[in-house]
């Protein structure tokens, strides 16, 4: 018995020594800065002045009346909802087609769809900026082939800029999630499709009643990951492609926080950071709760 206890102690010490460096780095670079964000959100501090003045929740109260912040939050929520629905739907459909249908060049299509994910977001913003050019842009040139426009569409104008951002972000993320779903779908036993086919189920019925339920755990995981990553990717793309313009029409909440940092209002900036943190946590919890269901086994 004593030998068994000694082995357990040695094993626990070894595990502690292996995990301690990662745990220490996590605390130093994640936990402490996060707690400091919450602390600084209660203070007023300038860009070059280290003096901090405690103001309580006044930074958060200011957010409620800040029209620019409200607009950036609305844009962020719009992107999260629309991009998530479009990207997840298309990724599932294309994954189902490439997994179950016998198409020529399946490997080629997989590579083509995945290429946008390995490109830098700056490169993607440059590509779509060229596509969206008013004069001589690829998109307007194609439209002019089939229709005679009196004037070219302003794809980066106030009315269309959010649509342009959505298209670019969907294009960037689609291939990655399609490949993830293809990996899950390939693990579904073929016998399940064969038996349902004998009962008269067509491809569409099999997709919704067999494929989707069998990979539901993966869908739940990717939804949570995608929502959080969309907040970050929207900031990077908008910063590189439109910088929040024109007139704040494409401003997102992370970009607005970044601009407040440049303006030197650090306390106010940290208050926005707290709101983003709570928003991400709330959306993740909401998605997990809404998609909760019994796991199917085979």
């Amino acid at each position: 018995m004593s030998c068994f206890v000694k082995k357990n102690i040695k094993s626990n010490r070894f595990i502690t020594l292996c995990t301690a460096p990662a745990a220490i780095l996590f605390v130093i670079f994640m936990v402490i800065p996060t707690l400091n964000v919450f602390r600084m959100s209660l203070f007023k501090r300038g860009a070059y002045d280290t003096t901090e003045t405690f103001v309580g929740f006044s930074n958060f109260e200011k957010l409620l009346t800040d029209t620019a912040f409200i607009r950036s939050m609305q844009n962020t929520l719009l992107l999260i909802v629309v991009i998530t629905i479009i990207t997840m739907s298309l990724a599932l459909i294309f994954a189902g087609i490439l997994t179950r249908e016998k198409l020529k060049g399946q490997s080629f299509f997989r590579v083509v769809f995945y290429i946008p994910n390995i490109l830098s977001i700056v490169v993607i913003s440059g590509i779509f900026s060229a596509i969206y050019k008013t004069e001589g842009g690829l998109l307007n040139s194609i439209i002019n082939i089939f229709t005679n426009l009196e004037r070219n569409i302003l794809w980066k104008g106030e009315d269309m800029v959010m649509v342009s951002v959505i298209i670019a972000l969907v294009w960037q993320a689609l291939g990655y999630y399609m490949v993830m779903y293809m990996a899950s779908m390939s693990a579904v036993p073929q016998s399940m499709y064969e038996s349902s086919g004998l009962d008269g189920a067509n491809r569409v019925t099999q997709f919704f009643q067999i494929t989707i339920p069998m990979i539901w755990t993966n869908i739940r995981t990717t939804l949570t990951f995608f929502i959080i990553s969309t907040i970050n990717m929207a900031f990077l793309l908008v910063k590189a492609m439109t910088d929040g313009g024109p007139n704040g029409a494409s401003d997102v909440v992370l970009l607005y926080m970044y601009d407040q940092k440049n303006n030197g209002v650090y306390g106010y900036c940290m208050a926005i950071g707290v709101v983003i943190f709570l928003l991400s946590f709330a959306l993740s919890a909401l998605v997990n709760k809404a998609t909760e269901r019994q796991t199917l086994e085979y």
Side-chain angles (χ1 to χ4, degrees):
M1 186 68 178
S2 60
C3 292
F4 180 74
V5 173
K6 288 181 180 179
K7 286 182 179 180
N8 278 342
I9 293 174
K10 289 182 179 179
S11 176
N12 291 336
R13 286 178 179 175
F14 177 74
I15 293 173
T16 302
L17 288 173
C18 290
T19 59
I24 292 171
L25 291 174
F26 179 78
V27 170
I28 293 174
F29 293 105
M30 291 294 295
V31 176
I32 294 177
T34 300
L35 294 176
N36 193 43
V37 168
F38 280 85
R39 184 192 67 82
M40 288 188 64
S41 67
L42 303 176
F43 289 83
K44 180 180 180 181
R45 177 180 172 182
Y48 305 104
D49 186 6
T50 58
T51 303
E52 296 180 348
T53 304
F54 181 77
V55 294
F57 292 99
S58 63
N59 286 327
F60 295 96
E61 293 173 357
K62 184 180 177 181
L63 288 176
L64 298 176
T65 57
D66 188 344
T67 56
F69 167 76
I70 294 173
R71 186 177 188 181
S72 67
M73 182 63 75
Q74 290 173 339
N75 288 340
T76 301
L77 293 175
L78 174 67
L79 291 176
I80 290 173
V81 173
V82 175
I83 293 174
T84 299
I85 293 174
I86 296 175
T87 304
M88 296 295 106
S89 300
L90 291 178
L92 285 167
I93 292 171
F94 289 144
I97 293 173
L98 292 176
T99 302
R100 300 217 49 216
E101 302 297 332
K102 295 181 179 179
L103 301 176
K104 292 184 178 180
Q106 285 187 353
S107 299
F108 170 76
F109 286 115
R110 293 179 186 182
V111 172
V112 169
F113 273 101
Y114 194 77
I115 284 177
N117 190 256
I118 63 177
L119 295 178
S120 166
I121 197 68
V122 177
V123 173
I124 293 174
S125 66
I127 292 172
F128 276 90
S129 292
I131 292 173
Y132 293 144
K133 283 181 65 176
T134 306
E135 299 293 338
L138 178 63
L139 196 52
N140 279 335
S141 298
I142 293 175
I143 293 174
N144 279 320
I145 294 175
F146 301 98
T147 60
N148 293 321
L149 295 175
E150 294 182 0
R151 58 180 181 177
N152 290 326
I153 299 174
L154 298 175
W155 291 102
K156 293 170 70 174
E158 287 191 47
D159 295 333
M160 295 296 298
V161 67
M162 289 301 293
V163 175
S164 301
V165 170
I166 288 171
I167 293 172
L169 287 173
V170 169
W171 183 80
Q172 185 272 335
L174 178 61
Y176 175 78
Y177 291 95
M178 185 195 74
V179 171
M180 291 187 67
Y181 292 146
M182 287 179 67
S184 298
M185 290 178 184
S186 62
V188 178
Q190 191 65 27
S191 59
M192 297 184 69
Y193 296 115
E194 294 173 353
S195 60
S196 64
L198 294 175
D199 293 333
N202 56 30
R203 294 284 193 181
V204 176
T205 303
Q206 291 174 347
F207 179 77
F208 285 102
Q209 295 189 3
I210 297 177
T211 305
I212 297 297
M214 294 302 295
I215 67 169
W216 190 252
T217 301
N218 190 20
I219 293 175
R220 290 186 67 200
T221 304
T222 53
L223 273 174
T224 303
F225 176 76
F226 185 75
I227 288 172
I228 296 174
S229 65
T230 298
I231 298 175
N232 297 324
M233 295 303 295
F235 160 68
L236 296 173
L237 182 75
V238 169
K239 178 62 180 175
M241 192 169 77
T242 67
D243 198 23
N247 299 323
S250 63
D251 202 5
V252 290
V253 68
L254 274 179
L255 179 59
Y256 186 69
M257 184 184 75
Y258 180 83
D259 292 337
Q260 297 309 302
K261 183 269 297 183
N262 289 338
N263 293 335
V265 283
Y266 284 1
Y268 190 61
C269 175
M270 293 301 102
I272 299 174
V274 171
V275 172
I276 296 172
F277 176 84
L278 296 177
L279 174 66
S280 302
F281 184 81
L283 288 175
S284 299
L286 180 63
V287 168
N288 281 326
K289 186 63 178 177
T291 58
E292 188 177 8
R293 60 183 295 176
Q294 185 178 359
T295 303
L296 298 180
E297 297 181 356
Y298 56 89

